[in-house]
Amino acid sequence: MKNLSKYIDVVFCLIVLPFMVMIFPVERWFHNFQWYVVTVGVWLYALYFLNRVMTVPLLFRDKRCRWISVCLIVTSVVITYFLTTVSLYTPKPNIHDEGITRVFPMIQQYQQAVWSLFMIVESFSFAIGLLTQANLQKSRRRAVEAERDRAEIELYKAQIKPHFMFNTLNSLYGLFLTHDDKALESLEKYISMLRYIHTTSQRDFVPLSDETDYIRQYVELQSLRLNGMTTVTMDVDIINEDLKIPPMLLVTFVENCFKHGISPVEKSNIIISLTEKDGKLTFATENRIFPVKRIGEHMGIENCRKRLELLYPGKHKINIENDGQFFFVKLSIDLSV
């Protein structure tokens, strides 16, 4: 709970401390020594908030601040000592005390009360202060980790874009070089895809329908340069198209299919499946493997793995199999939470 420490402060100041005070004969003392009771009461509340606001927080800072905190603790002890040295009255022998052994015979009851209440306030304020500071430190660590994860995700996204562009430009170059009739159509699709990349570059999530359309355009663009040796099958079954998904997350696996799964002389099949039901997204690809050595060929998939770990920890499952002839990918993501 965000304001838990504040609630505890209120409960302690309005309930716990007054209840502890009433254990002692405060009414009698207040009747005879009003100024003293009021002074001690103000000091106890001031001590509580002094520890909560300054003494404990300073312990979590640099060495100089810790010394200041120690000085505040010593000062509070000294002030309490001087309050207990005030002589309110000279006790008279009481016949009812005969046979009773007092642990501290030289310390009067009001002095014991002041020291007891001081220890209660000191202990409670330090306990709550330490708990508050521990929660603050934990929140700060989470914020730093979240910012680090966000920076890593942005880095992976930045790496994916050039990777996609260079591979697609290489395909377009081949179409224009051979004066293929599909070259102009391919260029138009490529421009449309670049527009999508540009509009989603500053967004963490996009509608699932937009990402599906982008993948479909990518498949159509890549299919333009294929000959009759390769068959591409894409099956999409999305029920809730408004679900959100990180942009450019799934296309890397599709790109991998076209990079390693086509051959100009051998028949091959590329199968892409994208289904969603009850917020559970299942994405799968299958393709043959034709040996191709390229610089950074595993970078895209590794980036996707890392993005998935950062974005969906414990909410996704990815299975990649490579038997030397076929390459299989199956990815499940829970988008409902």
Side-chain angles (χ1 to χ4, degrees), residues 43 46 66 75 77 107 110 113 119 171 173 220 227 268 284 297-298 320:
W43 165 239
R66 285 194 289 270
T75 302
V77 174
I107 302 178
Y110 71 91
M119 294 303 299
S171 301
Y173 175 75
E220 293 174 355
N227 55 26
S268 63
E297 61 176 296
H298 299 295
I320 299 178

Side-chain angles (χ1 to χ4, degrees), residues 169-192:
L169 282 174
N170 185 55
S171 301
L172 290 174
Y173 175 75
L175 292 177
F176 278 99
L177 191 65
T178 58
H179 302 285
D180 195 301
D181 295 336
K182 301 176 181 178
L184 185 58
E185 182 182 356
S186 300
L187 181 60
E188 292 176 351
K189 289 183 178 295
Y190 180 63
I191 293 174
S192 175

Side-chain angles (χ1 to χ4, degrees), residues 80-310:
T80 305
Y81 170 77
F82 279 112
L83 286 174
T84 59
T85 58
V86 175
S87 180
L88 299 181
Y89 57 87
T90 301
K92 297 180 180 180
N94 193 330
I95 59 175
H96 297 291
D97 290 341
E98 294 181 1
I100 299 176
T101 303
R102 297 180 60 185
V103 179
F104 301 105
M106 301 302 296
I107 302 178
Q108 303 304 317
Q109 189 179 23
Y110 71 91
Q111 295 172 326
Q112 294 181 25
V114 172
W115 279 117
S116 299
L117 294 173
F118 169 79
M119 294 303 299
I120 291 172
V121 171
E122 193 80 357
S123 302
F124 202 90
S125 60
F126 261 79
I128 300 304
L130 291 173
L131 178 62
T132 302
Q133 291 300 313
N135 288 334
L136 285 175
Q137 295 292 330
K138 189 175 181 180
S139 298
R140 287 168 185 165
R141 286 196 299 269
R142 287 179 178 176
V144 171
E145 291 174 358
E147 189 62 30
R148 181 201 64 194
D149 292 348
R150 182 180 179 85
E152 289 184 10
I153 291 172
E154 292 301 322
L155 175 62
Y156 299 146
K157 288 167 64 176
Q159 291 175 338
I160 288 172
K161 294 170 192 173
H163 192 60
F164 154 74
M165 288 188 288
F166 287 136
N167 281 309
T168 307
L169 282 174
N170 185 55
S171 301
L172 290 174
Y173 175 75
L175 292 177
F176 278 99
L177 191 65
T178 58
H179 302 285
D180 195 301
D181 295 336
K182 301 176 181 178
L184 185 58
E185 182 182 356
S186 300
L187 181 60
E188 292 176 351
K189 289 183 178 295
Y190 180 63
I191 293 174
S192 175
M193 296 174 69
L194 287 180
R195 188 179 297 111
Y196 175 82
I197 294 175
H198 174 71
T199 56
T200 61
S201 60
Q202 302 301 321
R203 299 166 62 183
D204 295 328
F205 295 91
V206 296
L208 182 58
S209 58
D210 291 353
E211 188 70 7
T212 303
D213 290 339
Y214 174 78
I215 294 175
R216 187 178 286 108
Q217 289 184 25
Y218 181 87
V219 171
E220 293 174 355
L221 175 62
Q222 294 295 334
S223 298
L224 290 174
R225 66 183 179 90
L226 300 178
N227 55 26
M229 304 301 295
T230 303
T231 302
V232 181
T233 303
M234 182 174 179
D235 182 25
V236 177
D237 184 11
I238 304 296
I239 297 177
N240 187 359
E241 297 184 344
D242 294 329
L243 290 172
K244 303 295 183 180
I245 189 171
M248 305 290 294
L249 180 66
L250 305 177
V251 73
T252 303
F253 299 105
V254 180
E255 180 186 13
N256 188 73
C257 293
F258 287 94
K259 184 166 61 175
H260 299 283
I262 62 176
S263 171
V265 295
E266 295 186 45
K267 289 187 176 181
S268 63
N269 293 320
I270 295 177
I271 302 174
I272 303 167
S273 174
L274 186 61
T275 60
E276 178 274 327
K277 184 178 181 181
D278 297 329
K280 306 298 190 297
L281 178 68
T282 302
F283 173 78
T285 64
E286 177 184 342
N287 62 275
R288 280 194 61 183
I289 300 175
F290 297 100
V292 177
K293 283 191 176 182
R294 298 181 184 178
I295 298 176
E297 61 176 296
H298 299 295
M299 181 182 68
I301 291 180
E302 287 304 313
N303 282 349
C304 279
R305 282 184 181 273
K306 293 175 180 178
R307 287 183 72 192
L308 286 166
E309 291 172 1
L310 293 172

